[in-house]
Amino acid sequence: MDKVARLRQRAKELLEKQEVVGVLGYRASSRPGISQVAFITKTEEVDRLIFDATCSQNLANYLLKVKDKGKVAVVARGCDSRSIVVLLQEKQIERGQVYILGVGCEGVIVQGEKSVSCRSCQYPNPVIYDEMLGEEVHFEPEKVEDEFDRLTPDERWQILSAEVARCIRCYACRQVCPNCYCPVCFVDASMPALVGKTHNVSDNMVFHIMRALHMAGRCVECGACHRACPMGIDLMRFNRQVAKIVRERFGLVAGAKPDEMPALTVFKPEDPQEFIR
Amino acid sequence: MKVFLKNEDLKKLLARFVQEGRLFAPVRRCGYSGWDRVSSVDEVVLSREQAILQGEEVNTREPAKIFVFPRSETLFEFEGEEAVETGEIPELVVFGLRPCDGRAMAFLERFFVGNGPEDPRVRQRREKVTLIGVACNSPADSCFCTAVGGGPHENKGLDVLLREVAGGFLGEAVTSKGEELLTGFPEATAQQDAEAEKLKANAEATLALKIDLNRLKAALDNGFASPIWERLTLECVNCGACTFLCPTCHCFDVFDETVRGRKRRSRIWDSCQFTLYSQHASGHNPRLNPAARYRNRVMDKFKYTVDMLGEVSCVGCGRCVRVCPAGIDIRVAVAEILKEAAQDGR
């Protein structure tokens, strides 16, 4: 039985036995190339569920929207499951609230190409789950040769400036991110306003840098924001860099291990702390 | 009168504006084309059809509204108690906008200028920009201009409409500004005219969707409290991509700020999809629910502007369909609303 058939069958059973109030997964949209999130609550609707390379969104984000309805089942790939781990660690959800239908993922395809975040994915399989739908997936992640570190600060600034200059501040990146859940985002604070709201490079850069820093040790590099950006901003550039710094300095990977807290939420005596000397 | 511009003629015409540093045209970025100031006429892909064949989207990612209603602009600066107008509005020429965007420009003009107190910035910007539209011979699957009253070869809102035919373009002046631009070019032949008409018919034939706008309006008139909005919006993440890239969305926020000692009042695009948009000073928010925010967008396109100006404000460009990170399609929403209304006997 393939993954999708198994998914539909299990969704049906979970709903029938009333173990969950709904199943969070994907369904086909009106267009090829991108699927839509589905919250299935009726057994007769389980056949709408799909799982393929068009499943672009991170379902952990939608988990926050439906969590108050009761226990829900959620389809989770490696990245989604890591986001769930971060949400658990940050006490946004409880483990008992979710039933995780794990699924191995070969990567999201965008316009005929593997999404940039998926190419170097180290976690195609969920790190936590209640059951696996089908076999685990194994592939050799592409090594992303990143020239960024070899550039001078000025050169880096130029690259980032060119990227954020296109930003229209629609906040799609924030809205699709499961770990951007603040009730009032820093850019929306108005008394006092913390960030300039115009679209000049300076204001845009403040937004993007602050976003990246808030994501430090929490971003699981799922690439949902990168794919969501209507202006094609290379958001993975920011995410990758932040994750790399956290990995190198704290030896941690966001959401990879449920018992390993996010880097910036715990203090360890051996943490690098030259900056407070 | 319809004139014919050979490709070289058009290039020469555009080159003049490039030289003056005031030509904007679709320039290929990362998988889409966006509006950029062109520094060499060779950057301009004259044939939008060719661009599509090379993998570009049918239309620019950002709508042409940015030329009359930019993402952010300083309205004036303060010197002491005095407000001082700032920023000379430049004369621009925009080449390559689509008829849907032209129609949207007409809507914005009507909204900002011909509807009660006029917005001087928008009026001045529209006066100072020349819009050279290019008709669509190959609409995309996300396009639906004919369903909302437009057409792939429509000239509304433009100064000049160009229709691509073999070897060049059929030029049609829409305004006096456009007439000036097209003086001196030879009249198009009957054969060229027939070719353009055929391409128009072909393009229209690919746009199959029909929407009964009157019935939709009636459904929305009675649909405010419908449970359908909840159902339609689970997927919506309430970002502003659809509204910001919509060629007719026109909401803005105004604020004062001091930058390096200079005080100014600016305006930026705002979106009804944001919670902050409807936040009252008291803290109360009548549209806290995401479904209410999505409802506002659909209502605005197909009901509110009909009530206010007598026309729908969706031009069927399909941008919101193409860019939605959640895969939401406004055509599906419309179909569902009509279906629900029919079931309820509304």
Side-chain angles (χ1 to χ4, degrees):
Chain A
M1 190 185 285
D2 75 349
K3 277 175 196 170
V4 177
R6 179 89 191 136
L7 163 62
R8 290 172 179 172
Q9 186 197 356
R10 288 298 294 136
K12 189 161 180 242
E13 288 165 5
L14 288 166
L15 287 170
E16 258 165 7
K17 290 182 193 151
Q18 296 186 341
E19 284 180 46
V20 296
V21 296
V23 181
L24 203 49
Y26 301 94
R27 64 184 167 89
S29 80
S30 64
R31 310 189 64 221
I34 185 164
S35 53
Q36 262 185 302
V37 171
F39 186 59
I40 304 290
T41 54
K42 298 185 185 116
T43 50
E44 60 268 27
E45 286 177 355
V46 296
D47 286 344
R48 300 179 77 186
L49 289 166
I50 59 162
F51 183 79
D52 59 28
T54 67
C55 299
S56 169
Q57 302 90 356
N58 185 327
L59 288 179
N61 187 38
Y62 292 81
L63 203 48
L64 295 174
K65 280 186 154 192
V66 297
K67 66 173 183 178
D68 294 336
K69 295 183 196 285
K71 183 166 180 169
V72 295
V74 58
V75 177
R77 302 164 286 205
C79 50
D80 309 306
S81 76
R82 286 170 61 203
S83 291
I84 293 172
V85 167
V86 175
L87 291 176
L88 290 169
Q89 290 169 332
E90 295 179 348
K91 309 241 180 296
Q92 296 305 305
I93 49 172
E94 282 170 39
R95 185 65 184 90
Q97 274 182 308
V98 286
Y99 187 88
I100 303 173
L101 296 163
V103 61
C105 171
E106 309 207 23
V108 178
I109 308 283
V110 180
Q111 290 179 340
E113 278 180 37
K114 208 172 194 185
S115 178
V116 64
S117 56
C118 305
R119 280 179 225 160
S120 54
C121 174
Q122 306 267 353
Y123 295 87
N125 300 299
V127 295
I128 48 164
Y129 52 83
D130 291 289
E131 66 178 277
M132 276 297 282
L133 303 166
E135 297 291 309
E136 289 198 348
V137 165
H138 295 281
F139 61 83
E140 194 58 41
E142 265 177 53
K143 248 196 138 49
V144 177
E145 264 307 322
D146 211 332
E147 79 296 350
F148 205 63
D149 286 329
R150 293 196 298 272
L151 302 176
T152 65
D154 276 350
E155 288 167 332
R156 292 188 209 177
W157 190 253
Q158 266 173 24
I159 290 178
L160 297 183
S161 296
E163 287 297 327
V164 305
R166 295 200 299 277
C167 179
I168 56 171
R169 303 287 282 271
C170 69
Y171 305 124
C173 49
R174 174 187 75 186
Q175 296 303 105
V176 300
C177 178
N179 299 118
C180 261
Y181 54 72
C182 291
V184 179
C185 175
F186 66 89
V187 289
D188 289 337
S190 54
M191 291 193 295
L194 300 174
V195 184
K197 290 194 151 198
T198 74
H199 306 86
N200 67 33
V201 175
S202 159
D203 283 351
N204 281 353
M205 188 67 96
V206 172
F207 164 60
H208 283 283
I209 288 179
M210 280 179 76
R211 185 183 117 78
L213 291 178
H214 283 187
M215 284 293 130
R218 308 172 61 238
C219 169
V220 302
E221 298 174 84
C222 68
C225 57
H226 186 98
R227 292 187 290 273
C229 179
M231 302 310 288
I233 297 172
D234 187 1
L235 291 167
M236 280 309 291
R237 162 76 71 201
F238 290 83
N239 300 343
R240 213 164 39 229
Q241 197 65 13
V242 166
K244 180 165 171 271
I245 292 167
V246 170
R247 206 161 51 236
E248 286 172 0
R249 295 175 71 86
F250 300 95
L252 292 174
V253 176
K257 292 180 187 155
D259 54 353
E260 222 170 54
M261 290 300 282
L264 301 185
T265 60
V266 283
F267 172 74
K268 289 183 200 157
E270 65 271 24
D271 279 347
Q273 49 189 295
E274 66 270 29
F275 55 91
I276 50 170
R277 243 180 298 181
Chain B
M1 186 178 87
K2 286 172 188 155
V3 297
F4 180 66
L5 291 83
K6 282 185 288 187
N7 286 328
E8 307 89 78
D9 293 342
L10 178 60
K11 206 164 181 173
K12 255 185 246 163
L13 182 72
L14 297 178
R16 200 177 85 211
F17 305 130
V18 174
Q19 214 165 27
E20 293 162 355
R22 56 195 183 102
L23 183 74
F24 276 76
V27 171
R28 193 173 169 91
R29 290 183 188 149
C30 32
Y32 66 90
S33 54
W35 294 110
D36 274 326
R37 197 186 290 274
V38 176
S39 53
S40 151
V41 77
D42 296 324
E43 286 172 48
V44 183
V45 186
L46 290 185
S47 165
R48 298 312 302 151
E49 299 307 310
Q50 201 58 41
I52 293 171
L53 287 178
Q54 286 163 9
E56 256 180 59
E57 278 175 3
V58 64
N59 204 344
T60 49
R61 189 57 67 92
E62 275 177 295
K65 77 172 172 188
I66 59 169
F67 297 107
V68 295
F69 179 50
R71 296 184 298 187
S72 55
E73 68 177 330
T74 303
L75 298 172
F76 52 81
E77 292 191 346
F78 300 97
E79 273 173 20
E81 303 270 297
E82 291 288 304
V84 186
E85 277 213 49
T86 54
E88 179 86 11
I89 290 169
E91 299 239 5
L92 300 176
V93 177
V94 175
F95 166 78
L97 72 159
R98 295 303 202 174
C100 49
D101 276 9
R103 193 179 173 80
M105 294 298 243
F107 173 82
L108 290 178
E109 217 179 322
R110 182 133 185 249
F111 178 82
F112 279 114
V113 184
N115 173 43
E118 71 160 31
D119 186 313
R121 304 284 296 183
V122 173
R123 180 178 53 74
Q124 288 165 32
R125 283 185 193 277
R126 179 62 190 91
E127 279 166 7
K128 290 197 167 188
V129 68
T130 306
L131 301 173
I132 307 176
V134 176
C136 266
N137 289 345
S138 326
D141 66 344
S142 46
C143 294
F144 56 103
C145 57
T146 50
V148 286
H153 282 229
E154 198 198 10
N155 63 17
K156 193 175 175 185
L158 301 168
D159 292 304
V160 167
L161 174 69
L162 298 177
R163 299 161 77 191
E164 196 170 347
V165 290
F169 293 83
L170 215 67
E172 201 179 302
V174 187
T175 61
S176 53
K177 223 190 292 183
E179 263 164 37
E180 214 173 295
L181 213 67
L182 293 184
T183 0
F185 290 104
E187 196 171 338
T189 62
Q191 200 185 350
Q192 283 163 338
D193 198 33
E195 188 190 346
E197 285 304 310
K198 185 156 182 277
L199 288 166
K200 176 185 165 186
N202 288 349
E204 281 173 353
T206 64
L207 295 158
L209 182 72
K210 302 254 183 305
I211 301 174
D212 185 337
L213 295 173
N214 291 329
R215 210 157 71 75
L216 179 58
K217 169 72 166 57
L220 293 173
D221 282 341
N222 299 303
F224 192 83
S226 163
I228 198 163
W229 305 110
E230 283 288 343
R231 209 169 72 231
L232 286 173
T233 49
L234 173 89
E235 304 89 355
C236 177
V237 292
N238 282 119
C239 74
C242 52
T243 50
F244 282 1
L245 297 179
C246 173
T248 65
C249 269
H250 44 260
C251 287
F252 58 84
D253 190 10
V254 174
F255 63 97
D256 294 348
E257 60 178 358
T258 307
V259 178
R260 286 182 219 100
R262 294 192 72 86
K263 298 175 184 64
R264 64 185 183 203
R265 177 160 298 172
S266 304
R267 79 163 152 205
I268 51 168
W269 288 350
D270 201 355
S271 168
C272 58
Q273 300 306 297
F274 297 158
T275 7
L276 206 58
Y277 177 89
S278 49
Q279 179 95 34
H280 292 184
S282 66
H284 173 64
N285 195 331
R287 263 187 235 144
L288 200 54
N289 179 349
R293 302 207 286 277
Y294 183 76
R295 173 180 63 202
N296 186 71
R297 175 165 160 75
V298 178
M299 286 276 188
D300 189 70
K301 295 293 154 212
F302 298 105
K303 169 176 158 56
Y304 298 153
T305 60
V306 179
D307 287 336
M308 186 169 58
L309 298 169
E311 57 182 308
V312 293
S313 50
C314 173
V315 294
C317 70
R319 281 191 182 84
C320 58
V321 180
R322 290 193 289 275
V323 301
C324 179
I328 295 172
D329 186 335
I330 195 161
R331 295 170 297 183
V332 174
V334 162
E336 295 263 323
I337 290 159
L338 286 170
K339 197 170 105 191
E340 193 217 28
Q343 279 164 359
D344 295 358
R346 276 195 270 124

